[in-house]
Amino acid sequence: VLQVFTHQNAPRLARFDRSYKDQVAVPGSPFRPLYDDQIKYSGQPVALVVAEEFEIARYAATLVHAEYEREQHETDLRENHGQGYEPPEERDGMGPAKPHGDAEHAFANAAIQHDAEYAHPIEQHNAMELFASTVVWEGDGKITIYEKTQGSQNNQGYVASVFGFSKDEVRVISPYVGGAYGSGLRPQYQLFLGVLAARELKRSVRVTLTR
């Protein structure tokens, strides 16, 4: 085992939210892996084990022990509908469009009215592909990333912005994209973790997440 990265020893990176926003980021504050001790969702990465062999890393990861303090949580969307995030008005093509027309007036004066509420069960879209990134340390401060992504330039810009590289120092190669339904539009967390480890250890790193 070469290193175990957690929020306690992860390097300090870009300070502001804007540095973590890629070209198609949703509004709000972006998630930063290994940033602090706060757990935002089930399955959140809390540590990265880097070893000489994949099997060693997988085994060593089972030895990582984490303790948690439970806090109050809210999971009922209906009860908390009024607390929802309100994105800013449309600006430079971002955010929701300004409202048009008067829907309530149109409905009240409609010849036929139908007012009902429908609910359907949760449906999850799970891509067959595993999340994996290979970060090659070139030895001169430059990195080459092999990534399954639709947005190679988007990932390049994200890595440069977060880790302080120039774009000339980051090369992203994506020979296989697949059907583009594999969560490949935006940079995912294994890319962040792979680059972090490669930069700190000055060596090539591959991070593969399990399902």
Side-chain angles (χ1 to χ4, degrees):
V1 173
L2 302 173
Q3 181 64 282
V4 179
F5 292 97
T6 71
H7 70 280
Q8 295 176 318
N9 64 353
R12 296 295 91 186
L13 301 174
R15 180 178 179 181
F16 299 106
D17 275 354
R18 62 175 178 267
S19 298
Y20 294 81
K21 287 181 176 292
D22 60 273
Q23 294 175 355
V24 290
V26 296
S29 181
F31 173 63
R32 307 184 188 190
L34 306 186
Y35 179 68
D36 54 28
D37 62 354
Q38 299 297 305
I39 303 300
K40 305 295 184 182
Y41 65 92
S42 177
Q44 174 179 322
V46 297
L48 173 69
V49 178
V50 184
E52 292 284 359
E53 297 180 9
F54 177 72
E55 290 78 10
I56 295 176
R58 291 288 299 149
Y59 172 70
T62 67
L63 304 179
V64 174
H65 178 72
E67 295 181 352
Y68 303 89
E69 293 182 3
R70 178 174 295 183
E71 297 180 344
Q72 293 285 30
H73 60 277
E74 298 288 352
T75 58
D76 193 319
L77 294 179
R78 295 175 182 271
E79 291 185 0
N80 293 277
H81 186 267
Q83 304 296 324
Y85 171 75
E86 295 185 5
E89 294 184 0
E90 184 177 20
R91 185 180 71 251
D92 300 328
M94 302 297 291
K98 296 180 180 179
H100 299 277
D102 190 341
E104 293 183 359
H105 180 267
F107 181 78
N109 291 277
I112 299 176
Q113 297 180 351
H114 177 70
D115 187 359
E117 183 174 328
Y118 300 90
H120 61 81
I122 296 174
E123 300 291 345
Q124 296 288 351
H125 169 68
N126 289 315
M128 294 177 63
E129 300 156 287
L130 296 177
F131 292 98
S133 298
T134 301
V135 183
V136 179
W137 183 259
E138 302 291 359
D140 55 358
K142 297 181 179 180
I143 57 175
T144 298
I145 301 170
Y146 290 89
E147 175 84 352
K148 191 278 302 184
T149 178
Q150 292 174 260
S152 56
Q153 291 179 320
N154 188 21
N155 283 15
Q156 178 199 40
Y158 171 82
V159 168
S161 178
V162 171
F163 292 93
F165 289 103
S166 69
K167 288 189 175 182
D168 291 337
E169 295 172 329
V170 180
R171 185 185 183 198
V172 178
I173 299 176
S174 180
Y176 304 107
V177 178
Y181 289 100
S183 300
L185 182 62
R186 304 182 56 223
Q188 303 293 336
Y189 304 142
Q190 86 287 341
L191 172 63
F192 175 99
L193 297 173
V195 174
L196 181 147
R199 195 188 74 156
E200 291 303 298
L201 299 176
K202 302 295 188 295
R203 60 183 295 160
S204 301
V205 175
R206 173 178 291 161
V207 178
T208 304
L209 304 184
T210 67
R211 296 185 60 81

